[in-house]
Amino acid sequence: MRGFRVFIGYFGFFVMLQGALGFIGQVFFGGAWGMLHRLADLPSVAYLGVFAVGAGLGVWGEGDKKKRGAGEAGGEGPGA
């Protein structure tokens, strides 16, 4: 399951980047950037939603790494 959460974390970063590029390009430069605008014509607010979803996935994926690091440093677990 650890590998899946790492993949979701990286995928979340990619989604977050697409949301940011779409929003910045559409608001400040007149046309969306990234790859998402090739799949769907979204309003600026929707790109912010895509950014938020990507950030949530990234945080969820990275949370597993921090939990494991704290468990190892704290001496918890079997054999401690």
Side-chain angles (χ1 to χ4, degrees), residues 4 11 19-20 22 25 29-30 35 37 39 41 47 50-51 53 57 59 63-64 67-68 70 74-75 79-80:
F4 178 72
F11 181 71
F29 297 101
M35 296 186 327
H37 75 279
L39 298 174
D41 186 24
Y47 283 112
V50 170
F51 179 83
V53 167
L57 289 173
V59 167
D64 188 44
K67 257 195 290 190
R68 289 184 189 273

Side-chain angles (χ1 to χ4, degrees), residues 18-34 36-37 40-48:
Q18 291 303 309
L21 286 174
F23 179 77
I24 291 169
Q26 199 165 21
V27 170
F28 297 110
F29 297 101
W33 296 344
L36 188 58
H37 75 279
D41 186 24
L42 298 174
S44 300
V45 176
Y47 283 112
L48 289 177

